[in-house]
Amino acid sequence: MTFNRLISGTLSTMIAAALGFTAAVVTTVTTAGPAQAASTPGGQITRSEVLARAQNWVDRNVRYNLTRASNTLTTDVEGDNRYGPDCSGLVSMAWHITANSGKGGNSTDDFESWSGKRYLASLHDLLPGDAILKSGHIELFARWKNPADHSQGAWTYSLNGGADPDGDGWQDDWAKGPTANSHGRVGDESWASMQNYRPIRYNNIVDDSASSDGFDRQGPSSAMDASGALHIFARGTDGSLKHWYWNNGWQYDVPGTGINGSPTVTVDPAGMVHVFARGTDASLKHWYYSNGWKYDVLGTGITGTPTVSADASGALQLFARGTDGALKHWYWNNGWQYDVPGTGISNSPTVTVDPAGMVHVFATGNDASLKHWYYSNGWKYDVLGTGITGTPTITADASGALQLFARGTDSSLKHWYWNNGWQYDVPGTGIA
């Protein structure tokens, strides 16, 4: 494989194919979509998958039983694991944990002492997929009823218990969530009742690259074209690709539709604007401007936000996480080429090019390791460290040395840097 310069004249001839978080904007999760087995038991799991797994029990009309008898344990969406049909079993199932698997997951007492979670400083810090815990009961936090006013309470996923009319252990309550279940019940907590709980977060939960509504959590992406004009792209609430650009005032158009995540934008050495985004069908969508917007689909089976850089020759190097956890790679060499440098990643990768022109890719592994691929006459691979969560971030210092940072599973700030070999330190702790 060779990395050749991207030639805009050639690319322009390609035939178009037939495609409550708070950040800069308020993001809420409405109803969880169909559950997908993107996580592995005990591994990292996205907030959207947690909610989707909880919703699966609502949809399946799971009934409460506190006994944890073998014949009462209920399968998760994959059918591979069995959990107790009670409040703590629901949270265990939604988080896809393996703790106490023999008895159907953690009990509420187990959750209180469990090292796989951490307490949050405030109820206000709760994000979708976190939980609230008190002695004898736990509920999964879905979202605030009003993200701007938490005193209005929260929607939750819960399985609380009720009457046991015939004494067989089955009680008159069913899994419920933000929307009414088949028995007309919803899961919710008032702000007053929430004061009796402590907020907790699963150590292996990770933020999605995209929210289920509105703009992506990563927000708009921007770049400057060859003329110096500023271009801004964002995902619309209707899944469209929205574009604003400056031309004696802000102009606006919609290059395309059907995206499910934040777009990634770059400008090639010839000054052509390129936009990449994950499609609602998990495809890798690509728009580029050449006397009008052109469009193609580079591949399928991706999740999260694609990331792009240019190598020393100017060729675009595009990476994305596959739905199977693979590190997928597209690059331009007289047409788009594709390979898979590695597997076992749980987040969108981070890519950079060092001063010598070498391409480096970093990603969080399914085992919470910091994985590193680099291209030197073929893909090479090493593991820089362990115990990280989320997406690593990278920059270069004044000397050009790579400086890499990541959040530890223990909430520490972890740092790797190159100095005749990879070095490591911990600048601080207590990051969320």
Side-chain angles (χ1 to χ4, degrees):
M1 178 178 66
T2 58
F3 292 155
N4 292 335
R5 184 180 180 87
L6 180 69
I7 303 172
S8 62
T10 302
L11 183 60
S12 66
T13 63
M14 300 169 75
I15 299 174
L19 154 77
F21 304 143
T22 57
V25 295
V26 174
T27 299
T28 59
V29 179
T30 52
T31 58
Q36 299 177 357
S39 63
T40 56
Q44 290 190 331
I45 186 169
T46 62
R47 295 186 181 280
S48 61
E49 187 182 351
V50 168
L51 298 186
R53 291 173 66 84
Q55 184 64 36
N56 179 260
W57 269 22
V58 176
D59 296 340
R60 287 166 56 194
N61 202 34
V62 172
R63 188 178 180 185
Y64 184 92
N65 190 301
L66 186 60
T67 65
R68 293 285 177 104
S70 178
N71 65 342
T72 70
L73 299 184
T74 304
T75 58
D76 57 11
V77 61
E78 298 84 33
D80 297 333
N81 304 279
R82 301 167 71 227
Y83 297 90
D86 53 40
C87 64
S88 53
L90 183 150
V91 174
S92 299
M93 180 277 300
W95 284 352
H96 210 174
I97 69 172
T98 54
N100 294 302
S101 58
K103 69 174 186 180
N106 279 346
S107 67
T108 51
D109 288 344
D110 293 328
F111 272 120
E112 288 186 356
S113 59
W114 186 47
S115 62
K117 63 90 176 58
R118 63 186 183 277
Y119 288 101
L120 301 177
S122 168
L123 289 166
H124 296 292
D125 295 330
L126 285 164
L127 296 174
D130 293 336
I132 52 176
L133 174 66
K134 67 178 181 179
S135 179
H137 191 56
I138 188 172
E139 298 188 4
L140 191 75
F141 177 82
R143 68 179 190 269
W144 295 107
K145 291 182 177 179
N146 182 349
D149 182 6
H150 294 178
S151 69
Q152 295 184 26
W155 299 112
T156 63
Y157 283 98
S158 61
L159 195 47
N160 299 51
D164 181 5
D166 51 13
D168 63 356
W170 294 102
Q171 300 183 23
D172 285 344
D173 191 50
W174 293 262
K176 49 192 176 291
T179 57
N181 63 14
S182 60
H183 299 269
R185 303 180 185 181
V186 296
D188 71 325
E189 288 289 343
S190 69
W191 180 247
S193 69
M194 291 179 72
Q195 306 311 304
N196 299 313
Y197 291 85
R198 295 184 68 184
I200 64 173
R201 177 166 296 160
Y202 179 32
N203 287 343
N204 281 348
I205 199 168
V206 295
D207 292 341
D208 294 81
S209 62
S211 65
S212 64
D213 70 336
F215 292 109
D216 187 87
R217 273 180 54 78
Q218 294 185 353
S221 299
S222 63
M224 247 176 219
D225 66 22
S227 72
L230 181 62
H231 295 262
I232 299 173
F233 297 86
R235 176 182 176 265
T237 54
D238 58 356
S240 63
L241 175 63
K242 295 176 176 283
H243 172 224
W244 293 264
Y245 58 101
W246 185 263
N247 184 6
N248 295 319
W250 285 108
Q251 312 296 320
Y252 168 74
D253 60 16
V254 179
T257 59
I259 69 172
N260 186 22
S262 185
T264 297
V265 59
T266 192
V267 178
D268 70 30
M272 181 181 288
V273 176
H274 298 263
V275 186
F276 304 91
R278 172 169 55 105
T280 52
D281 57 357
S283 64
L284 177 57
K285 296 176 177 284
H286 171 225
W287 289 265
Y288 55 100
Y289 194 87
S290 178
N291 297 319
W293 285 109
K294 308 296 192 301
Y295 164 74
D296 57 12
V297 176
L298 303 189
T300 58
I302 74 162
T303 185
T305 301
T307 185
V308 67
S309 188
D311 65 22
S313 73
L316 296 185
Q317 305 291 328
L318 182 70
F319 297 86
R321 177 180 178 266
T323 53
D324 58 356
L327 174 63
K328 295 175 175 275
H329 172 224
W330 290 262
Y331 59 100
W332 183 262
N333 183 5
N334 296 319
W336 285 106
Q337 312 296 321
Y338 168 74
D339 62 15
V340 179
T343 58
I345 66 173
S346 62
N347 286 82
S348 295
T350 299
V351 58
T352 193
V353 178
D354 68 24
M358 182 178 291
V359 177
H360 297 262
V361 186
F362 304 89
T364 304
N366 289 333
D367 57 357
S369 64
L370 177 57
K371 295 177 176 281
H372 172 223
W373 290 266
Y374 56 100
Y375 194 87
S376 178
N377 295 319
W379 285 109
K380 307 297 193 297
Y381 166 73
D382 57 15
V383 176
L384 303 189
T386 59
I388 73 164
T389 184
T391 299
T393 185
I394 192 164
T395 190
D397 63 23
S399 71
L402 297 184
Q403 305 286 332
L404 183 70
F405 299 87
R407 177 182 174 271
T409 52
D410 58 357
S411 298
S412 63
L413 175 63
K414 294 176 176 281
H415 173 224
W416 290 264
Y417 58 99
W418 182 263
N419 184 5
N420 295 319
W422 286 105
Q423 311 296 321
Y424 168 73
D425 60 19
V426 179
T429 59
I431 67 170

